[in-house]
Amino acid sequence: MAPEAGAAHTPVRSLTTRYVMVVIVGMVIGAGIFKSPALVAANAGSEQMVYLLWIIGGLISLAGALCYSELAAAFAHPGGDYHFLERAWGKRFAFLFAWARFAVINTGAIALLGFVIGDYLNRVIDLGPHGPAIYAFASVFLLTAIKLLPAGEASDSALVIVLIAGLVMLAAAAARLVFDGAPPLDPGTPSVPAPGGIGYGLVFVLLAYGGWTEAATLSAEVKDGERGMLRALIISITLITALYLLTAWAMLRGLGLAGLAGSEAPAADLMSRAFGPGAGVVLALAVVAAAVTSVNATIIAGARTTYAAATNIPALNWIGRWNFRTRSPRNAVLAQGAVSLLLVGLGAAYDGFATLVDYTAPVYWIFLIASGLAVFRLRAIEPDVPRPFRVPIYPLVPALFVLTSSAMLISAVLYVQGGALFGLAILLAGVLVIWSLGSNQ
């Protein structure tokens, strides 16, 4: 007789490396790639620098992936970085991280991607000024409900295939212009803002690469516990870098450097130039597919961190239950979905997407720095733990990862908006939550 769902059940190593790659690609390549190349071009100063910045972003992400591969292989756990942080910095800090993911980082990402879906679906079927919020609420509700069903690798893989197809469409548009002999729309050089536009360009590049860290939450479920996560991270980030370079080429070839830099919707402008105005509907659906894929992956990873933290807190035992039938932390998915819907309401009241980006950014980089430092800390305090994989060129690689993450945090704080202050306030509220739960954190 099949076991019943309950607290006694824990994750088993049933996921293939290919599926982990699907989650990583879905998490990283979101709808932002249809916008961020314009921001990179506006700050890069030359086409060569545009390509170089995307390559540098890929290399920095690979450095981080190597750090996470060492931690995931040595300390596999469904909580991912929650577990690393607990061993390195203690239970209180780890719980604060889990709180941040539950109340700010993952739920905020789900909500803001819901608004991306809403903005583009409202162009296809206009529901009026409140249409984006209606679509956002419906999409978050529906995608959360789907993740309450038994896990299906095939459906998740199909979403990523659709996502990649959307980027390939942009390359096809550029190829059409090349075939027709059409020159770039505006090949001039945009004025670079002071000080140092290249540094700002890298900020947008690294934001586009964000999200691969979430794969660590699958470290206890991947079949090849020693090398599966390493292969998944390296192959995925290499593929993502190639797709980003392809997208940059397509937009530069179709719009030119100045044309790309000045575009509010570069992907739509490229598709319209190559295939006519009607192509905008097709592109809108591609953007929606990209956002749906990212929401799907974020739900998977975020709920596992919440589950891992809840198993250590008696008052939250109902969240810390693993469901055998769905092969997921079902109650954690429900709780995460409820908070995400509340944040959709926040976005509906205060400028949607922009507010939610401000809300999540500073908190995200704080804990990424802490995870990078955990490589040094755990080597020092737990030197005898078997490490099937070790970061090469230690300590330079983890040091590079920590320094670049610190630069991102500084940038997020320097350009802080009201949403960011609210996100930091919610993080501090986590300290009160620790105290109120009396969980010996």
Side-chain angles (χ1 to χ4, degrees), residues 28 102 110 141 145 200 218 244 299 377 380 424:
V28 174
F102 177 72
I110 291 167
F141 181 87
Y200 291 125
L218 303 179
Y244 281 178
I299 290 172
R377 172 74 171 168
L424 291 171

Side-chain angles (χ1 to χ4, degrees), residues 167-185:
L167 298 181
V168 172
M169 276 198 307
L170 297 179
R176 167 73 180 273
L177 294 173
V178 171
F179 181 78
D180 291 343
L185 185 65

Side-chain angles (χ1 to χ4, degrees), residues 363-417:
V363 177
Y364 173 78
W365 292 110
I366 287 172
F367 290 103
L368 209 61
I369 294 167
S371 294
L373 292 173
V375 175
F376 298 99
R377 172 74 171 168
L378 290 171
R379 281 205 185 190
I381 65 175
E382 299 192 44
D384 298 328
V385 171
R387 286 170 169 79
F389 172 77
R390 288 176 174 265
V391 177
I393 322 178
Y394 180 88
L396 293 181
V397 170
L400 173 65
F401 178 53
V402 170
L403 288 173
T404 53
S405 299
S406 300
M408 292 297 293
L409 173 61
I410 292 170
S411 175
V413 172
L414 285 177
Y415 299 97
V416 69
Q417 303 293 326

Side-chain angles (χ1 to χ4, degrees), residues 180-194:
D180 291 343
L185 185 65
D186 186 354
T189 302
S191 59
V192 178

Side-chain angles (χ1 to χ4, degrees), residues 32 35 43 152 160 171 196 249 271 324 344 347 349-350 387 397 410 433:
K35 170 67 178 176
N43 290 280
V160 170
W249 169 81
M271 291 290 288
F324 179 84
V344 169
Y350 300 102
R387 286 170 169 79
V397 170
I410 292 170
V433 173

